[in-house]
Every structure is written in C-alpha cells, then in structure tokens.
C-alpha cells in the first residue's frame, strides 16, 4: 500500500480551520498549503483562545516534569516512515494552545488532544483533559 505524503502545520494555519471545515474533499499539495499560509500571513496575528483547564495552568515545574510523551503513540509510527511526531503537553509555562493539522492528498483534519498519548507517572490529574485543548507543540 502506498502512503501519501502528509504535512503537519501548526499555529499559523489554526485560523484557517474554519474555512477548511466547509471542504468535503480537495487536492492538498504544497501549492494549496502555501496559498493558505499566504492568506493567513496577510491578517494580523491573534493569539488562539486559551481555554486551558485551571489544573493545567497551575502545574509547577516538578509536576510538569512528571508528564512524558509515550513514543509508542507517535503520529505516523505505524506507517513505517523515516520520521514520527511526538507532542508536548500543555500546562505550566505552555498555556497557549497549538492546533496541529494533518494534511493528506485529499483531506485536512485536526490532530485532537489525546490524554492517553502521555504517561503522567506519579502525577494525578483531577479531571479528564478535553480533546479540543490543543498541544504545547510537537
């Protein structure tokens, strides 16, 4: 089975997600991505809404260090590509969400926050983290 080349864009294309929601299918290539980035670059920067749960905002240095990404959950691990993506957990100093999108040849989708991607070791979080939280980066 042949795998399509995928691109991950974060931050700059977050505002374009609303426009993308209207597309059922489109050819996604480098030209398409460049066009979206150029459209976004012409607009003033607006920080993404940060609805980070309070218990993540209040993490201190030692608590945040308890959180580690599980390498077996890496994006594109099963595709056997020469690269994989690991995500950074939001919280502590990293309170502004980074929305990450996966582009294939025919579709665009947001990579939702998945709490199971992380090992919290001894840290006990009081609640489940919402899927629309975003990441701190990749």
């Amino acid at each position: 089975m042949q795998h399509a080349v995928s691109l991950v864009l974060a931050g700059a294309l977050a505002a374009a997600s609303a426009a993308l929601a209207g597309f059922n299918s489109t050819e996604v290539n480098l030209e398409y991505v460049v066009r979206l980035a150029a459209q976004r670059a012409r607009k003033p920067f607006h920080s993404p809404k940060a609805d980070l749960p309070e218990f993540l905002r209040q993490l201190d240095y030692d608590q945040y260090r308890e959180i580690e990404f599980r390498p077996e959950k890496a994006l594109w691990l099963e595709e056997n590509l020469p690269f994989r993506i690991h995500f950074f957990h939001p919280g502590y100093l990293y309170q502004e969400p980074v929305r990450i999108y996966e582009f294939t040849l025919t579709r665009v989708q947001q990579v939702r926050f998945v709490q199971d991607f992380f090992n919290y070791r001894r840290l006990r979080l009081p609640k489940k983290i919402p899927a629309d939280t975003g990441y701190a980066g990749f």
Side-chain angles (χ1 to χ4, degrees):
M1 183 156 127
Q2 197 175 39
H3 295 285
V5 175
S6 297
L7 300 172
V8 171
L9 297 178
L13 293 180
S17 65
L20 295 173
F23 294 144
N24 291 333
S25 179
T26 187
E27 183 179 351
V28 179
N29 54 30
L30 183 58
E31 183 179 306
Y32 173 81
V33 173
V34 169
R35 186 174 68 249
L36 285 177
Q39 288 171 358
R40 180 64 185 120
R42 285 191 282 278
K43 297 178 182 177
F45 174 76
H46 294 287
S47 179
K49 186 177 179 186
D51 284 335
L52 199 60
E54 190 64 26
F55 63 90
L56 292 179
R57 289 180 197 273
Q58 299 301 320
L59 291 177
D60 64 26
Y61 174 79
D62 292 322
Q63 291 170 321
Y64 187 77
R65 285 179 33 102
E66 288 293 313
I67 304 170
E68 63 184 5
F69 185 79
R70 296 175 190 229
E72 69 274 12
K73 302 290 186 175
L75 187 62
W76 303 328
L77 177 68
E78 294 180 10
E79 282 80 355
N80 200 26
L81 299 170
F83 47 84
R84 295 172 181 89
I85 296 182
H86 294 198
F87 300 103
F88 291 101
H89 199 284
Y92 179 50
L93 298 175
Y94 314 103
Q95 298 188 11
E96 187 166 305
V98 176
R99 307 285 187 229
I100 300 175
Y101 295 84
E102 179 180 26
F103 289 69
T104 68
L105 292 177
T106 58
R107 65 184 167 85
V108 178
Q109 70 180 16
Q110 183 176 352
V111 178
R112 309 285 284 180
F113 180 85
V114 178
Q115 199 164 346
D116 191 44
F117 285 1
F118 298 92
N119 178 1
Y120 294 89
R121 296 186 287 192
R122 295 175 298 196
L123 182 63
R124 300 289 176 243
L125 297 178
K127 298 182 196 176
K128 182 149 179 70
I129 301 169
D132 63 350
T133 298
Y135 292 96
F138 65 93

